[in-house]
Amino acid sequence: MIISISNLSPKSNRSQTKDSQISKWSYFSDCILRSTGFPAEWIEKLCFHKTTTMFDLCYRTEQSLNELVERLKTLEQTCHIPSNARQDWQRIRKLVGKRKKVTDEFIHLMEQKGFDQSLTQEIESYERKRRLQEKNWTKARESFEAELAEKQLFLQEIYKNPRLQEAIFQQSPSMYKNAVVPYVHSSLQKRNTNIKRIERQLISYLQRLCTKNETTSFFGPIQYGVLTSEQQDIEYNFNQKETERRAFMPYWSIKVLAAQMKECDVFFPYLNVKLSYQYTKTGDSIHSPILEKMVKFPKPYADIIKHLTYENQSIEQLAKKLSQPVAWLAKKLRLLEKKRLILIEIPLSITEPDSLNELRSWILKIKDVEHPDLSLWQERLEWLWKVKQAYPYMTLGQKQELFHKLESTFTEWTGEQPRRLGGEIYADRNLLYEECHGPLNNIKIGGSIKHVLKQDVPKWLSICAKHGEQRRKQEQALAQEIFKMMYPNEDSVPFLKFVHDLSNHPDVHTWEKRWQSIKTEIEEAITHEVASNPKSVVHLSLDYQDFDRDMAWLTSPDLMIAKKDDDSYQVILGEIHDTIMVWGWALQFHPEKDRVNEQLVKKIQKSTQHLRMLNMLSSKRFKIVPFEYPGTTIQMNSFSNSPNEKIPLSQLKVTYTKEGLALTLPDHEEVFYTYNGELNTMVHSFFSLPRAVSFSIRTGESTPRLMLGDLVVQRAKWHISKQDVWSKKHTGSSIELFYEAYRFHLKESLPKEGFAKLPGQPKPVYVNFTSYFLIEMLEGLWPDGENCTFSEMLPNLSELWLSKEDQKTHTAEIRLSYFVERS
């Protein structure tokens, strides 16, 4: 099926930008499209439209009652109240204040005692409205009870979907077992505490699976597209199902297996041994950069140290260099390892996406050896490999059976628990996870959308780059101040010593706060412009800001597209990543992976050719493989198998210059810059390239939508405290809980749907004020006494453009790569 969408609306007026300015930024034609695997309609069908229609009536009547009470306060000052009826009036005022019933007898008494007629009429009006409100509230409660039962059945029906059950199982087997299975078999006759708790969990997962664009199996598939010069805005092919699914064992689990294998004597000669990256060596002595001390060793340790390097070599190879048997080395190497002076390991590259394959390849290289432990581990790894290959295409029942066996086997082999981080919703915690090439192919983006990508996105990136440049200048001033406070008589210290001393300094938290509170002229100018503009949508008039194009700007913006009623499109900027995200793991399904990789490397090299660039290779890894770009790689604890020049962390120095702090290396005159790699910390900012990423503008308790040309650069947002939404605790299935949230949304003019960023939650959660389940989830996740940031949803559920086989809509996000190239 070929789907083509064209922009039929007239072109909008755009502010003209000089070609010379725009040409500073170039985008990469290949892009990634991530979409949800489940339709947005599921969330929409869980909304309580009948109940909220009655809420609208209740709210209007409530507002009318409030206005009437205010009028009564005014009339009280001017109207005649007989002296013999003062006490009666006080009772009436108390009833009205509490919105209680004023009986006909009271109203008749007012007439008898000679109250001013206008007061009597207002009280009669009050009582009519109060009765109307009572009637509306009764209907609202009836609608709520009926819809709650109806939506429970629909939620149950949704969770009977085999693919949804599989998605939950892959995210959390315990959630599947303890929530999904009992719920789909529940009679739902009584919504007790347990059912309510389960429904809150189920809706939490469902809102994520239907509204968040992730990269996880078939419910967060990877797809690829290109930017074209064609007039059609969006065109794509739809296959009947996913093209390919692959399973992986997480890096931490392979490290655990490798640690067990390392203890087997049969593997000892084949283990790699090298100097720790945190020490330097001179001859047969080791130097500690942190302590700035040289450690000398007696024979035979000195001979061992003399023959060690930072390169991988097997213990067997080292023994040959020393002309000693492996058994002679064993005890001595273990002692050096215990003191953390050397690393003994099975080599697993932190930049290799499939660590199991790497471990399997290593053990298969051991030839001409017969030993029961070798045979045992070869069989184990081969079994794991077959499991990994077969797993994506098994039925849910088969996966359950296999997964249970895999977990028990892993614990039996290693003594380690097979699940990490307590089953949190966003965690690399299970022994198997999947990635998937989705059902969309030949995605082409052109027409009016491409015009925004060529014109307005670069304009905003230029502003972000100027902001990054201004921020870096202040960061460098802070870095110089910190350095001279710690080392008043030094111009250069080892990087490891700098980090150690900084992290243990009594003023480190004060410095961190100063770093976090840095504001730039760009931020202040935009904030001032927005604060002085009362509109709900502010079109920024900030002139183009020049920036230093020689600072190797590499960014990956996430973009969403909203389809309007007139078939025109609006482009919305999400996050801007300070990396080139079309890389490594993300390209694994691309039909021209090698071509794209090669072109990206050339783009990065062209942008950075005038700078000495460092990769700070992280020692930690979850699902996403750390990025390693062209240049020099500083190895911290882990190693990579890239062709980059490798230098141990111990050789890196921090040098004070007139511009700020710089990284230097022995035998290099130039200063070095580190790639960003999403490492937004104070120390990293002192040495990295400036970041061309979006910055948050806030103007009080609410901030309007911000646009630059035809690009939405920031969604409207509100800062809300929980006590402003709910005045008290509500228990059970509470219509009062629902109404208070809905009333708050009307009173504050919040959009019907959006995302709430809550304290303690790693990702924003989708909120729809017409869905009781989502409101109940929000209240449960929101810590008492805390604030949250609520942002409008753009595109909202009615503006989604991506339709799949069932013609239901799905959220989607495009990830692009932008560069500033040097000629």
Side-chain angles (χ1 to χ4, degrees):
M1 176 171 63
I2 298 179
I3 301 177
S4 177
I5 308 172
S6 297
N7 185 352
L8 304 179
S9 66
K11 291 184 177 180
S12 60
N13 294 324
R14 301 171 180 274
S15 57
Q16 296 300 312
T17 305
K18 294 179 181 178
D19 291 340
S20 60
Q21 294 170 346
I22 295 174
S23 64
K24 290 182 178 180
W25 289 98
S26 66
Y27 57 76
F28 193 63
S29 293
D30 291 272
C31 62
I32 289 176
L33 187 141
R34 301 184 300 163
S35 61
T36 55
F38 297 107
E41 280 83 355
W42 283 1
I43 287 288
E44 180 64 31
K45 287 182 179 179
L46 286 168
C47 292
F48 287 50
H49 293 303
K50 295 176 182 177
T51 303
T52 52
T53 298
M54 292 308 305
F55 281 173
D56 286 327
L57 293 175
C58 290
Y59 180 73
R60 287 197 294 271
T61 307
E62 182 180 305
Q63 292 297 98
S64 181
L65 277 170
N66 292 339
E67 292 169 4
L68 193 151
V69 170
E70 291 301 315
R71 288 202 304 273
L72 278 174
K73 290 179 182 178
T74 303
L75 284 172
E76 182 182 25
Q77 306 299 320
T78 59
C79 294
H80 173 66
I81 300 175
S83 56
N84 65 339
R86 294 282 179 184
Q87 190 173 2
D88 296 319
W89 176 247
Q90 292 300 324
R91 290 179 63 189
I92 292 172
R93 278 187 57 186
K94 191 173 182 179
L95 290 170
V96 170
K98 293 183 178 181
R99 308 299 189 268
K100 297 290 186 179
K101 179 179 181 180
V102 179
T103 63
D104 293 340
E105 288 79 9
F106 255 126
I107 296 173
H108 184 62
L109 181 65
M110 290 176 66
E111 294 172 346
Q112 284 184 330
K113 291 192 174 183
F115 273 83
D116 193 296
Q117 189 176 8
S118 58
L119 273 178
T120 306
Q121 289 174 344
E122 288 292 350
I123 293 297
E124 290 175 338
S125 179
Y126 161 81
E127 182 55 26
R128 286 195 299 272
K129 290 183 184 297
R130 191 203 63 79
R131 289 173 183 170
L132 177 61
Q133 179 71 317
E134 194 175 68
K135 182 179 178 182
N136 289 340
W137 191 248
T138 299
K139 289 183 178 179
R141 190 177 295 279
E142 290 171 353
S143 296
F144 174 71
E145 291 173 356
E147 283 194 297
L148 179 58
E150 174 191 333
K151 302 306 178 183
Q152 279 187 286
L153 290 174
F154 184 68
L155 183 64
Q156 187 183 58
E157 193 62 31
I158 289 175
Y159 269 94
K160 289 179 181 178
N161 183 292
R163 284 171 67 85
L164 180 57
Q165 290 189 11
E166 184 183 343
I168 299 297
F169 176 78
Q170 291 201 42
Q171 290 292 284
S172 175
S174 59
M175 172 70 179
Y176 173 77
K177 176 183 177 182
N178 299 322
V180 175
V181 172
Y183 191 73
V184 297
H185 292 97
S186 171
S187 66
L188 301 180
Q189 290 182 352
K190 183 179 180 181
R191 193 172 190 252
N192 55 30
T193 303
N194 187 50
I195 291 294
K196 176 181 173 180
R197 176 185 57 80
I198 289 176
E199 286 177 348
R200 274 177 45 185
Q201 292 175 316
L202 295 179
I203 201 70
S204 178
Y205 273 85
L206 191 67
Q207 61 83 25
R208 174 190 172 195
L209 295 172
C210 292
T211 67
K212 297 292 290 179
N213 304 303
E214 300 179 20
T215 309
T216 312
S217 191
F218 60 87
F219 47 93
I222 304 172
Q223 290 130 146
Y224 304 103
V226 294
L227 306 181
T228 72
S229 58
E230 297 177 11
Q231 292 303 308
Q232 290 155 327
D233 293 303
I234 304 173
E235 183 178 332
Y236 57 92
N237 293 344
F238 178 79
N239 294 328
Q240 295 302 310
K241 56 183 179 180
E242 301 82 27
T243 304
E244 185 178 0
R245 290 164 64 174
R246 294 178 185 173
F248 298 85
M249 290 190 70
Y251 182 69
W252 68 262
S253 67
I254 305 304
K255 292 284 284 186
V256 168
L257 291 171
Q260 289 296 314
M261 293 170 61
K262 177 182 166 183
E263 299 304 314
C264 298
D265 291 339
V266 65
F267 297 121
F268 188 75
Y270 309 99
L271 298 177
N272 279 12
V273 58
K274 56 191 170 189
L275 284 169
S276 167
Y277 300 125
Q278 300 191 30
Y279 295 92
T280 57
K281 187 186 78 164
T282 303
D284 56 6
S285 300
I286 287 181
H287 178 260
S288 167
I290 295 177
L291 301 176
E292 295 191 294
K293 288 184 178 180
M294 186 72 76
V295 181
K296 293 187 176 182
F297 295 87
K299 281 185 172 290
Y301 291 96
D303 292 335
I304 296 173
I305 297 295
K306 188 176 181 180
H307 286 85
L308 286 177
T309 68
Y310 300 107
E311 303 298 324
N312 287 330
Q313 65 173 321
S314 70
I315 292 174
E316 188 176 54
Q317 289 170 329
L318 178 61
K320 288 179 180 178
K321 290 180 181 178
L322 293 165
S323 301
Q324 295 287 353
V326 170
W328 178 86
L329 267 177
K331 186 175 180 180
K332 299 171 180 61
L333 290 179
R334 293 296 188 192
L335 179 62
L336 292 173
E337 182 188 34
K338 187 175 181 180
K339 293 181 179 292
R340 299 184 180 181
L341 299 171
I342 65 171
L343 300 172
I344 300 175
E345 60 190 6
I346 295 174
L348 295 174
S349 171
I350 200 167
T351 54
E352 168 58 45
D354 195 341
S355 300
L356 176 59
N357 186 46
E358 194 172 26
L359 182 60
R360 177 171 167 263
S361 299
W362 179 82
I363 199 172
L364 290 174
K365 291 177 183 177
I366 301 176
K367 306 289 186 181
D368 303 322
V369 176
E370 291 187 8
H371 193 282
D373 284 345
L374 174 60
S375 301
L376 176 65
W377 278 102
Q378 285 176 335
E379 291 173 4
R380 286 176 171 179
L381 295 183
E382 202 59 33
W383 180 75
L384 289 174
W385 180 255
K386 291 178 180 178
V387 166
K388 186 181 82 72
Q389 296 297 93
Y391 184 80
Y393 300 101
M394 290 182 172
T395 65
L396 178 56
Q398 291 171 328
K399 285 186 174 183
Q400 287 178 265
E401 183 179 347
L402 181 61
F403 202 82
H404 176 73
K405 182 178 180 181
L406 177 63
E407 289 193 323
S408 60
T409 301
F410 183 81
T411 301
E412 178 187 334
W413 292 352
T414 66
E416 295 277 346
Q417 290 300 312
R419 301 181 194 177
R420 295 274 171 118
L421 300 179
E424 293 178 9
I425 190 169
Y426 288 94
D428 182 25
R429 59 197 179 278
N430 294 330
L431 286 179
L432 282 173
Y433 67 88
E434 282 190 29
E435 289 174 1
C436 169
H437 187 192
L440 305 183
N441 284 312
N442 298 322
I443 304 165
K444 296 178 182 178
I445 300 169
S448 63
I449 295 172
K450 187 177 178 182
H451 188 78
V452 175
L453 305 186
K454 289 180 66 176
Q455 299 287 331
D456 298 325
V457 173
K459 284 167 62 179
W460 180 247
L461 290 178
S462 297
I463 292 172
C464 292
K466 188 64 178 179
H467 161 75
E469 190 178 275
Q470 291 177 351
R471 182 177 176 88
R472 190 174 191 278
K473 185 176 180 180
Q474 296 184 61
E475 289 169 339
Q476 285 302 308
L478 176 62
Q480 288 174 314
E481 179 186 331
I482 291 172
F483 188 92
K484 281 306 177 185
M485 286 188 69
M486 294 199 300
Y487 316 108
N489 301 316
E490 302 287 342
D491 289 327
S492 182
V493 297
F495 177 80
L496 279 167
K497 178 176 176 58
F498 177 79
V499 173
H500 175 270
D501 293 348
L502 178 59
S503 60
N504 290 282
H505 197 281
D507 292 329
V508 64
H509 296 301
T510 301
W511 293 332
E512 286 274 3
K513 288 179 181 178
R514 286 179 57 189
W515 175 75
Q516 291 169 353
S517 64
I518 288 175
K519 296 291 182 184
T520 68
E521 293 177 8
I522 292 285
E523 279 182 279
E524 291 173 352
I526 294 179
T527 302
H528 176 74
E529 179 181 358
V530 177
S532 60
N533 193 324
K535 295 180 180 179
S536 59
V537 178
V538 175
H539 289 263
L540 299 176
S541 61
L542 187 67
D543 291 336
Y544 171 81
Q545 298 289 331
D546 198 7
F547 62 96
D548 185 356
R549 62 184 298 183
D550 287 337
M551 290 308 293
W553 303 92
L554 311 171
T555 65
S556 290
D558 290 336
L559 300 166
M560 294 186 182
I561 300 170
K563 184 181 181 182
K564 299 298 184 178
D565 292 338
D566 61 357
D567 287 331
S568 65
Y569 289 89
Q570 184 173 59
V571 181
I572 302 104
L573 180 68
E575 288 186 85
I576 300 179
H577 303 273
D578 55 13
T579 58
I580 301 303
M581 298 296 286
V582 186
W583 189 264
W585 63 272
L587 281 181
Q588 63 179 301
F589 298 111
H590 200 291
E592 299 180 78
K593 174 183 175 181
D594 293 340
R595 187 266 303 171
V596 175
N597 263 319
E598 183 181 343
Q599 290 179 350
L600 280 168
V601 168
K602 289 180 179 178
K603 285 274 191 181
I604 294 169
Q605 288 173 329
K606 193 170 183 180
S607 296
T608 61
Q609 60 186 336
H610 55 297
L611 301 174
R612 296 302 301 265
M613 296 303 303
L614 291 177
N615 292 276
M616 297 290 282
L617 194 59
S618 171
S619 59
K620 294 182 179 180
R621 170 183 150 190
F622 292 96
K623 191 178 82 169
I624 297 178
V625 177
F627 298 100
E628 187 179 10
Y629 299 110
T632 301
T633 295
I634 297 296
Q635 296 191 282
M636 301 167 70
N637 285 311
S638 306
F639 82 99
S640 79
N641 51 14
S642 76
N644 278 4
E645 175 190 20
K646 311 291 195 325
I647 293 178
L649 184 63
S650 57
Q651 294 187 17
L652 197 60
K653 288 186 175 293
V654 176
T655 301
Y656 187 98
T657 74
K658 64 180 181 179
E659 289 83 16
L661 300 190
L663 294 177
T664 57
L665 288 169
D667 304 323
H668 289 281
E669 294 182 359
E670 306 97 331
V671 300
F672 284 76
Y673 297 90
T674 63
Y675 289 102
N676 284 301
E678 310 261 75
L679 298 173
N680 187 27
T681 66
M682 182 177 72
V683 172
H684 191 261
S685 72
F686 292 164
F687 310 108
S688 66
L689 298 170
R691 306 171 72 224
V693 297
S694 289
F695 44 94
S696 180
I697 298 297
R698 176 175 176 178
T699 54
E701 295 308 305
S702 64
T703 305
R705 182 188 304 175
L706 308 184
M707 296 191 66
L708 189 67
D710 287 342
L711 176 69
V712 178
V713 297
Q714 182 174 294
R715 298 169 173 89
K717 57 186 178 181
W718 295 259
H719 303 278
I720 305 167
S721 63
K722 186 175 183 180
Q723 57 266 32
D724 288 340
V725 182
W726 292 286
S727 58
K728 60 181 181 180
K729 283 283 187 181
H730 298 282
T731 59
S733 302
S734 173
I735 189 175
E736 290 79 12
L737 174 84
F738 193 10
Y739 178 67
E740 282 194 25
Y742 189 82
R743 178 175 59 190
F744 182 83
H745 130 75
L746 293 176
K747 180 182 176 183
E748 300 298 326
S749 300
L750 299 181
K752 183 186 73 173
E753 53 187 329
F755 284 94
K757 185 67 179 75
L758 299 166
Q761 295 298 316
K763 298 281 187 177
V765 296
Y766 172 75
V767 176
N768 190 314
F769 286 100
T770 66
S771 172
Y772 175 68
F773 291 130
L774 289 168
I775 295 302
E776 199 174 57
M777 174 201 71
L778 175 67
E779 194 278 335
L781 294 176
W782 195 341
D784 292 338
E786 295 286 352
N787 295 347
C788 89
T789 300
F790 179 81
S791 302
E792 64 177 331
M793 185 182 187
L794 280 179
N796 60 42
L797 296 188
S798 65
E799 296 173 329
L800 302 179
W801 59 269
L802 175 57
S803 298
K804 295 189 179 179
E805 180 182 17
D806 51 12
Q807 292 301 302
K808 292 180 179 177
T809 54
H810 298 253
T811 66
E813 181 178 76
I814 299 166
R815 181 163 295 181
L816 299 174
S817 297
Y818 279 79
F819 304 81
V820 173
E821 295 185 359
R822 300 182 83 245
S823 59

